[in-house]
């Protein structure tokens, strides 16, 4: 009973202090009342402390001399054992900044650290408080939030806090960009700069999240000038670490390179330069192409093919020798037990056409063609007949294989249709539909190969420089598992595209597909930014461990 009486007295006194401060005009003359409110934050009464959590921020602006004590007392309430007190205190934090904006960055910092709260109602209060402060001053609030994301040398960052901050920004800030990022140009530039600082050490999934956000900002929209689009490419180039020496055993770097090249293609389509990517691949990757894991080779070739229409004439001339060398390696000269990967050949032929269209006479010495441009680089006085004979024989062999495979696939499609009609279970039907999709993709691959080999039979061939050829995987909608076929041997009807189809894309552009391998790199934690694994400490800033925010 005595405790109940003491609680009632504390609450009564708090109401008295609050009413008096409400009524007087010159509140500074009643500093003692505010001091007493602050002291009540240490009361044993739960209700008294909840009331104190309401009153401390309400009168905060009138007593600057007591600001340190007031904030300290309020933070104690934010860390109280009782959930109701914590939630009430968190709700009051934005009020500290309403008329005293100089405290905003500190309060945002405190709220960010409270994002690690486990109770849903508490975390919801933190989210609402942060959004309130973002609406008050978005630049200062974002700056304070991003400090918990950036990797700073010799600073141990709580990994859980960093993750919660990222989740808040992704789920609460990004969806409200139209409301929060005003004035648009200035604020969007500010958050862009904050993101760029944070990209020194991110996982693949985090990088993709940030890039998806940036490309949807107005400053990088469809009407953005070329230099803005190029800025996004430079961000991607930095993440791909194109200034680093390449090591074929560094799977992390290869993952990043392929993923970033995939992400860059839509910006190449908007006029950004792919020169740095192509030069890096030509210099470092093509020479060790056979040493790459099969899965990575397939996606690299697909991404190179999709990037090739946007390559400059100079870069095309530099890259063509490597592409022709790979073409000769993967286009068999005779059907004599050699293997042919149809996906490789489709990608390389597509890349060859687009590069040769930009630098046609470079093919004279590489393939024995006779294309006259009037430049010394035509090399028309030299004998390249052996190169022409070799290249033509390979084209003929590829065409024979493609036609034979199309015949088998067409027969296989009829068998699939019969099997589908006879299938009794949904599982069987789904399996047959996948086989049909693989067969369709195989037919598209063979058709594409034939469409690209036929114009190359003339000594003065024409090169396809437009987008009339739609790459086969662009319309693949279901993943498939296939094997590399052997020339002259039997092979499953769904194995036409080689092992590459085990990572078939749902493709960009027509069909709105995605590169599954690239996505796996983005979604996993397997690669981190240029500085490697973060090495952040996992010690929490939890309650009772001292406040690093002071």
């Amino acid at each position: 009973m005595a405790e109940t009486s003491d609680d009632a007295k504390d609450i009564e006194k708090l109401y008295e202090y609050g009413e008096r401060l409400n009524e007087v005009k010159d509140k500074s003359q009643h500093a003692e009342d505010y001091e007493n409110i602050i002291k009540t934050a240490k009361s044993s009464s739960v209700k008294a402390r909840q009331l104190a959590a309401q009153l401390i921020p309400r009168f905060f602006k009138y007593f600057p001399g007591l600001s340190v004590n007031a904030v300290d007392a309020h933070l104690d309430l934010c860390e109280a054992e009782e959930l109701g007190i914590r939630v009430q205190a968190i709700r009051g934090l934005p009020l500290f900044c309403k008329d005293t904006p100089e405290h905003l960055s500190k309060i945002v910092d405190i709220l960010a650290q409270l994002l690690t709260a486990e109770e849903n109602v508490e975390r919801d209060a933190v989210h609402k408080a942060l959004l309130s402060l973002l609406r008050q001053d978005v630049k200062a609030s974002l700056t304070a939030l991003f400090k918990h994301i950036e990797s700073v040398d010799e600073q141990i960052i709580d990994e859980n806090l960093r993750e919660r901050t990222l989740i808040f920004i992704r789920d609460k800030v990004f969806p409200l960009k139209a409301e929060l990022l005003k004035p648009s140009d200035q604020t969007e530039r500010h958050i862009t700069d904050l993101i760029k600082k944070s990209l020194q050490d991110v996982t693949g999934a985090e990088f993709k999240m940030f890039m998806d956000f940036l490309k949807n900002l107005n400053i990088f929209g469809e009407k953005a000038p070329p230099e803005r689009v190029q800025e996004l490419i430079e961000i991607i180039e930095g993440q791909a670490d194109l200034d680093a020496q390449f090591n074929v055993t560094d799977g992390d770097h290869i993952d990043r390179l392929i993923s970033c090249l995939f992400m860059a293609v839509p910006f190449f389509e908007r006029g950004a330069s792919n020169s740095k990517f192509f030069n890096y691949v030509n210099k470092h990757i093509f020479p060790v192409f056979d040493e790459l894991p099969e899965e990575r080779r397939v996606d690299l070739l697909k991404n190179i093919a999709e990037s090739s229409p946007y390559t400059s004439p100079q870069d095309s001339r530099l890259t063509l020798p490597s592409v022709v060398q790979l073409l000769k390696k993967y286009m068999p000269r005779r059907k004599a037990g050699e293997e042919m990967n149809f996906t490789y050949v489709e990608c390389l032929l597509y890349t060859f056409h687009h590069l040769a269209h930009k630098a046609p006479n470079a093919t004279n010495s590489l393939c024995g063609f006779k294309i006259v441009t009037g430049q010394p680089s035509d090399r028309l006085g030299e004998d390249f007949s052996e190169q022409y004979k070799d290249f033509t024989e390979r084209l003929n062999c590829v065409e024979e294989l493609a036609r034979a495979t199309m015949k088998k696939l067409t027969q296989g499609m009829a068998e699939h249709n019969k099997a589908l009609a006879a299938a009794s279970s949904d599982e069987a039907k789904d399996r047959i539909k996948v086989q049909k999709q693989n067969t369709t993709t195989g037919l598209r691959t063979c058709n594409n190969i034939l469409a690209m080999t036929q114009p190359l039979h003339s000594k003065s061939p024409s090169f396809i420089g437009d987008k009339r050829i739609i790459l086969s995987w662009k319309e693949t909608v279901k993943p498939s598992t296939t094997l590399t076929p052997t020339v002259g041997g039997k092979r499953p009807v769904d194995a036409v595209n080689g092992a590459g189809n085990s990572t078939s894309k749902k493709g960009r552009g027509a069909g709105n597909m995605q590169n599954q391998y690239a996505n796996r790199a983005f979604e996993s934690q397997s690669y981190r930014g240029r500085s490697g694994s973060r090495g952040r400490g996992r010690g929490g800033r939890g309650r009772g461990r001292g406040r690093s925010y002071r």
Side-chain angles (χ1 to χ4, degrees):
M1 292 294 292
E3 288 182 7
T4 303
S5 177
D6 289 341
D7 287 355
K9 286 181 180 178
D10 285 343
I11 294 170
E12 186 178 343
K13 286 179 180 178
L14 278 173
Y15 276 118
E16 182 183 328
Y17 304 143
E19 287 174 4
R20 190 153 51 232
L21 287 172
N22 261 333
E23 291 171 359
V24 297
K25 288 186 178 180
D26 187 0
K27 294 176 175 44
S28 62
Q29 298 299 313
H30 292 266
E32 187 177 349
D33 287 339
Y34 191 60
E35 282 186 279
N36 287 329
I37 291 173
I38 293 171
K39 289 176 183 177
T40 311
K42 297 186 181 296
S43 168
S44 59
S45 167
V46 172
K47 290 185 177 180
R49 282 187 287 159
Q50 279 185 290
L51 184 54
Q54 295 180 47
L55 296 176
I56 290 173
R58 183 183 300 175
F59 300 109
F60 176 75
K61 66 178 180 179
Y62 300 109
F63 304 99
L66 296 172
S67 62
V68 173
N69 291 341
V71 171
D72 271 358
H74 202 83
L75 293 182
D76 285 335
L77 296 172
C78 290
E79 295 183 340
E81 291 298 323
E82 298 84 0
L83 177 62
I85 296 175
R86 296 201 305 270
V87 170
Q88 185 63 60
I90 289 166
R91 289 171 178 166
L93 281 171
L95 296 176
F96 284 100
C97 314
K98 186 175 181 182
D99 297 293
T100 51
E102 63 271 19
H103 295 287
L104 186 140
S105 293
K106 181 177 181 179
I107 298 300
V108 170
D109 181 66
I110 292 167
L111 282 165
Q113 294 179 55
L114 294 173
L115 284 168
T116 57
E118 296 303 324
E119 298 287 347
N120 288 337
V121 65
E122 184 177 2
R123 199 158 60 245
D124 184 60
V126 174
H127 290 172
K128 289 179 179 177
L130 280 171
L131 288 172
S132 173
L133 293 176
L134 280 159
R135 291 183 174 98
Q136 180 176 330
D137 188 335
V138 66
K139 284 188 177 181
S141 298
L142 286 172
T143 302
L145 278 173
F146 269 84
K147 285 180 180 177
H148 295 282
I149 299 172
E150 298 169 17
S151 176
V152 181
D153 292 341
E154 300 176 359
Q155 177 182 341
I156 296 176
I157 296 179
D158 179 353
E159 189 74 11
N160 185 39
L161 170 57
R162 181 182 183 278
E163 182 180 350
R164 290 293 182 89
T165 306
L166 276 168
I167 290 171
F168 173 76
I169 289 172
R170 181 194 68 195
D171 294 346
K172 302 297 182 181
V173 178
F174 287 176
L176 294 176
K177 65 182 179 67
E179 174 192 349
L180 295 176
L181 302 185
K182 293 180 180 179
S184 178
D185 281 7
Q186 294 177 24
T187 314
E188 288 186 355
R189 171 50 58 190
H190 182 70
I191 196 170
T192 298
D193 292 340
L194 290 172
I195 288 173
K196 288 167 77 171
K197 285 175 64 179
S198 302
L199 293 178
Q200 293 297 316
D201 189 12
V202 290
T203 66
E206 291 165 2
F207 182 66
K208 183 177 185 299
M209 176 193 76
F210 281 131
M211 289 305 301
D212 286 345
F213 173 71
L214 288 178
K215 71 183 182 183
N216 286 309
L217 292 178
N218 291 329
I219 60 172
F220 298 114
E222 291 301 319
K223 296 181 180 179
E227 59 269 21
R228 292 269 179 85
V229 183
Q230 191 62 36
E231 181 180 353
L232 294 179
I233 284 294
E234 289 169 3
I235 292 172
I236 298 172
E237 289 172 348
Q239 188 67 14
D241 213 0
L242 299 183
D243 294 323
Q245 184 63 38
F246 181 73
N247 182 345
V248 73
T249 64
D250 187 353
D252 178 89
H253 192 188
I254 297 170
D255 286 355
R256 232 178 315 137
L257 176 69
I258 295 173
S259 301
C260 289
L261 181 54
F262 171 77
M263 180 181 287
V265 174
F267 302 115
F268 299 153
E269 294 171 352
R270 293 177 58 190
S273 170
N274 65 8
S275 181
K276 198 167 183 179
F277 269 108
F278 253 71
N279 288 335
Y280 191 88
V281 169
N282 188 44
K283 181 179 179 181
H284 298 286
I285 311 298
F286 280 154
V288 295
F289 181 77
D290 290 339
E291 299 177 41
L292 299 178
E294 166 66 19
E295 192 176 49
R296 289 165 179 166
R297 289 187 229 166
V298 171
D299 275 284
L300 177 67
L301 289 181
K302 287 180 176 180
N303 290 331
I304 288 293
E306 292 188 45
S307 304
S308 62
Y310 315 105
T311 307
S312 71
Q314 181 180 356
D315 291 334
S316 297
R317 186 175 295 277
L318 289 172
T319 309
L320 265 171
S322 299
V323 172
V324 171
Q325 185 177 358
L326 285 176
L327 259 178
K328 289 181 177 180
K329 182 175 182 63
Y330 292 107
M331 290 197 310
R333 193 169 182 176
R334 298 178 186 86
K335 293 192 294 182
E338 299 178 52
E339 291 187 346
M340 178 172 138
N341 186 308
F342 283 69
T343 303
Y344 284 12
V345 173
E346 180 190 11
C347 291
L348 289 166
L349 279 172
Y350 188 88
T351 302
F352 173 78
H353 269 279
H354 281 280
L355 300 187
H357 183 75
K358 302 281 183 64
N361 65 348
T363 64
N364 291 354
S365 60
L366 297 171
C367 308
F369 296 145
K370 293 184 178 180
I371 296 172
V372 181
T373 65
Q375 300 297 318
S377 52
D378 291 347
R379 300 175 67 177
L380 296 178
E382 301 180 54
D383 183 8
F384 297 114
S385 57
E386 282 300 315
Q387 286 88 332
Y388 181 74
K389 180 182 177 183
D390 176 79
F391 197 71
T392 302
E393 286 182 8
R394 294 180 189 278
L395 291 174
N396 289 334
C397 182
V398 166
E399 288 173 344
E400 285 184 42
L401 288 168
R403 291 189 182 101
T405 300
M406 289 179 72
K407 184 176 179 181
K408 291 180 183 179
L409 290 175
T410 303
Q411 293 171 351
M413 184 65 81
E415 293 170 5
H416 294 327
N417 289 334
K418 289 179 184 177
L420 187 61
S424 56
S425 69
D426 289 341
E427 183 180 353
K429 289 179 181 178
D430 288 342
R431 184 172 62 252
I432 296 166
K433 286 177 182 177
V434 169
Q435 292 173 345
K436 283 188 63 177
Q437 181 60 52
N438 291 336
T439 302
T440 300
T441 301
L443 286 167
R444 287 173 51 77
T445 299
C446 291
N447 273 316
N448 282 348
I449 288 172
L450 291 173
M452 290 187 285
T453 56
Q454 288 165 5
L456 300 179
H457 283 286
S458 168
K459 285 199 173 183
S460 298
S462 59
F463 301 117
I464 300 169
D466 55 26
K467 295 184 180 180
R468 75 185 79 168
I469 301 292
I470 299 175
L471 293 160
S472 61
W473 61 87
K474 290 268 190 178
E475 292 184 5
T476 300
V477 292
K478 290 187 178 180
S480 58
T481 303
T482 58
L483 302 172
T484 303
T486 301
V487 173
K490 292 183 179 180
R491 116 181 69 76
V493 293
D494 59 350
V496 177
N497 275 338
N501 262 9
S502 63
T503 55
S504 63
K505 300 180 184 178
K506 292 184 178 177
R508 290 179 285 268
N512 192 27
M513 300 164 289
Q514 297 176 354
N515 179 323
Q516 289 187 355
Y517 180 69
N519 280 354
R520 283 204 300 278
F522 283 132
E523 290 165 2
S524 72
Q525 303 293 311
S526 63
Y527 94 70
R528 300 178 185 274
R530 290 179 288 173
S531 53
S533 60
R534 292 196 193 98
R536 293 189 176 98
R538 295 195 176 264
R541 288 179 173 128
R543 301 184 184 102
R545 297 196 57 182
R547 299 190 186 109
S548 59
Y549 33 66
R550 292 182 184 171

